[in-house]
Amino acid sequence: MMKNLINSCLFLVALGIVKYGHCQQASISIDLTKETGAMHPLWAWFGYDEPNYTYMKDGRKLLSEIAALSPVPVYVRAHNLLTSGDGVAALKWGSTNMYTEDAAGNPVYNWKIVDSIFDTYIKRGMKPLAQIGFMPEALSTHPQPYKHDWKPGVPYSRIITGWAYPPKDYNKWDTLVCEWVKHCVERYGKKEVESWYWEVWNEPDGYYWKGSQQEFFKLYDYAADGLKRALPTARIGGCNSTGGAMKFLDAFLKHCLYETNYATGKKGSPLDAVLFHAKGSPVIVNGTVVMNVRNQLRNIDDNLKVISAYSELKGLPVIIGESDPEGCAACGMSTNPENAYRNGTMYSSYTAASFARKYELADKYKTDLTGAVSWSFEFEDQPIFAGFRDLATNGVDKPVLNVFRMFGMMQGKRVAVTGSDMYGLQTILDSSVRKNADLGALASKGDKSAAVMIWNYHDADTAGSTRPVRVTVKGLPSGTVKLTHYRIDDQHSNSYTAWKQMGSPLHPSKEQFLALEKSGQLQLLGKPENIKPVNGTYVANITLPKQGVSFIKLDW
């Protein structure tokens, strides 16, 4: 079966579907004997704005699926964990009502909603990347208006209300954090909470913070003080600045390392992890979505450069707190047509190609890149396939989730990959993927297995050809090896294509939903087969459509 796939491109030429030049065979070579680094599960991190989705029906279902696909605990980051309100979710909004005050101004703590959020994670073996934000209404220096009325299509600045301001009393802010952490230790145990990460606020250099830079440093210092008083071994970090805010990040690092702590009066502030964001920037060009993976990777490159300049930070975990193709998960296709990539396979191939380069950037700077949070979850009570940046829609998995299922099967060490049509890291940093497609791979080797993820990615979402690819794997053991080939393309692991073939029903019937649910799972390309490497080498001839992703698993 694998050997015969090479002929399919020529068949498409005969039908006039593709040009002959597009059938030129690409080559990818994997050497299992040459290790390049650890296969850290950078991908096992997810986040979202609306924390109340966590314990809702489709939220619980998706979290269970995410937990199941990962061999390690998945970390989850959510906004609005301290926001005041009734716990009813809306786009880019959530609340727990954790903190209020009585008539005399005394704190009143209520852990019910935030417990239901963290309980959902812990029951699934997941761990919070617990965000200390945003400002409770009773503590805000500008409490009114408080709940925003933002919706897709209106100015993004409408989200900024009373929750974005500094506290009127930093000691009460400190105590709030301390009491919350003490409660978590009582509820989940010291060992469990020690395994979490905590971080303060979100993008304080931008929309999300209505105070000054120094006021944010003060906010961080008091939050860190409260956390460490409750649990000295708890891990805290920051500052989750936007991708281009290198000066802000640099100032924050200087403050934590050298400057006077606002809460303690001592030198420096606790810093157990460094966090920043990285985003791409798709646009519409003549009616076509054109991605910009360069922008996202340049964000990472620029911020890692800042971090690596401090010898004191060597070995400290670095987490990309949000790492995505663009910036607004809750903006759908109807208001932002450049987001049309999200439902189909382009999101999948972009994710595969970009994560591979994150490993390269970590190697470049010799950085302990621990995680890259995909700011993508699900949106309850929204139209099916509305084009939000999510992993599933109305309980139906999108193609992109299957890339993470592929990552979940990669373990051990990363190994050397070369490819005739694979872009070098510097080329993408210079000019993105704008000429030929990036036909590349990421490979790993475990004790008795190997895995190869192959993508055919291009920034432009135009109709493209299926490419023949010669995949050579060296360093295999003698004897029989089981080969399993998974695929994401228009016909495999793709609920969006299945939905369109049904006529794009806005309210699928029970039978249609079950069919969509099945089509959203990771699917095989043919049956598994037993192969016998020759002198430790196996050659597979495959074809891969544009924006498709193949995953070849080898077990012995």
Side-chain angles (χ1 to χ4, degrees), residues 239-288:
C239 58
N240 270 308
S241 47
T242 57
M246 286 77 70
K247 290 183 178 179
F248 193 102
L249 176 64
D250 189 53
F252 172 76
L253 296 176
K254 283 186 170 68
H255 173 74
C256 290
L257 291 171
Y258 312 128
E259 295 175 356
T260 302
N261 186 300
Y262 282 98
T264 66
K266 299 178 181 179
K267 177 183 175 181
S269 194
L271 186 66
D272 304 301
V274 181
L275 300 97
F276 62 88
H277 293 178
K279 305 284 186 175
S281 54
V283 295
I284 294 289
V285 179
N286 297 324
T288 297

Side-chain angles (χ1 to χ4, degrees), residues 68-380:
L69 65 82
S70 176
V72 299
V74 172
Y75 281 84
V76 187
R77 176 177 184 251
H79 292 338
N80 293 299
L81 294 179
L82 277 68
T83 305
S84 301
D86 56 10
V88 176
L91 294 179
K92 298 195 71 66
W93 177 259
S95 59
T96 67
N97 223 38
M98 182 190 295
Y99 180 94
T100 55
E101 293 181 355
D102 63 19
N106 298 310
V108 177
Y109 303 109
N110 185 338
W111 315 116
K112 182 179 179 180
I113 294 178
V114 75
D115 282 351
S116 65
I117 294 167
F118 282 10
D119 287 355
T120 306
Y121 301 154
I122 302 305
K123 287 177 182 177
R124 289 161 176 77
M126 305 170 112
K127 297 185 181 295
L129 169 51
Q131 184 181 116
I132 303 173
F134 296 119
M135 193 57 60
E137 185 175 6
L139 274 182
S140 175
T141 53
H142 291 77
Q144 296 300 323
Y146 193 75
K147 183 177 181 180
H148 66 69
D149 60 356
W150 181 87
K151 61 182 179 180
V154 304
Y156 195 74
S157 58
R158 288 277 285 275
I159 72 169
I160 305 304
T161 52
W163 57 265
Y165 286 86
K168 62 184 181 182
D169 187 322
Y170 281 89
N171 289 319
K172 286 185 175 181
W173 168 255
D174 182 306
T175 303
L176 165 60
V177 177
C178 183
E179 292 300 317
W180 183 24
V181 177
K182 283 166 59 178
H183 170 76
C184 288
V185 171
E186 291 170 0
R187 187 173 184 86
Y188 305 110
K190 178 173 178 286
K191 183 178 180 181
E192 173 61 36
V193 179
E194 285 177 330
S195 70
W196 303 357
Y197 285 95
W198 299 77
E199 46 99 0
V200 180
W201 222 254
N202 178 68
E203 298 184 351
D205 61 286
Y207 277 116
Y208 285 77
W209 178 244
K210 296 300 290 183
S212 68
Q213 185 180 90
Q214 289 301 315
E215 284 175 317
F216 172 72
F217 297 165
K218 185 176 181 179
L219 184 87
Y220 181 89
D221 289 350
Y222 275 87
D225 180 68
L227 179 138
K228 294 289 186 177
R229 281 193 295 111
L231 181 63
T233 49
R235 299 182 292 185
I236 191 168
C239 58
N240 270 308
S241 47
T242 57
M246 286 77 70
K247 290 183 178 179
F248 193 102
L249 176 64
D250 189 53
F252 172 76
L253 296 176
K254 283 186 170 68
H255 173 74
C256 290
L257 291 171
Y258 312 128
E259 295 175 356
T260 302
N261 186 300
Y262 282 98
T264 66
K266 299 178 181 179
K267 177 183 175 181
S269 194
L271 186 66
D272 304 301
V274 181
L275 300 97
F276 62 88
H277 293 178
K279 305 284 186 175
S281 54
V283 295
I284 294 289
V285 179
N286 297 324
T288 297
V289 177
V290 179
M291 308 295 283
N292 190 350
V293 69
R294 170 188 182 270
N295 197 72
Q296 184 182 4
L297 296 176
R298 282 289 294 270
N299 281 173
I300 300 171
D301 186 66
D302 290 341
N303 282 278
L304 291 183
K305 187 181 299 182
V306 170
I307 297 166
S308 66
Y310 293 92
S311 60
E312 299 96 329
L313 302 179
K314 187 175 180 59
L316 204 69
V318 174
I319 301 166
I320 309 174
E322 296 178 22
S323 190
D324 307 290
E326 34 67 35
C328 180
C331 301
M333 293 186 299
S334 61
T335 56
N336 297 74
E338 69 275 13
N339 293 338
Y341 76 90
R342 294 167 167 182
N343 286 333
T345 60
M346 190 179 207
Y347 193 4
S348 309
S349 60
Y350 181 105
T351 300
S354 61
F355 264 95
R357 275 53 187 237
K358 293 171 191 176
Y359 286 103
E360 290 190 66
L361 286 166
D363 293 342
K364 175 182 176 180
Y365 289 100
K366 297 180 174 58
T367 300
D368 183 12
L369 186 57
T370 301
V373 178
S374 294
W375 202 255
S376 47
F377 187 52
E378 64 93 20
F379 292 85
E380 299 273 345

Side-chain angles (χ1 to χ4, degrees), residues 56-73:
M56 297 174 74
K57 177 175 65 70
D58 290 339
R60 294 195 309 270
K61 178 182 180 182
L62 180 55
L63 286 169
S64 294
E65 291 187 282
I66 294 171
L69 65 82
S70 176
V72 299

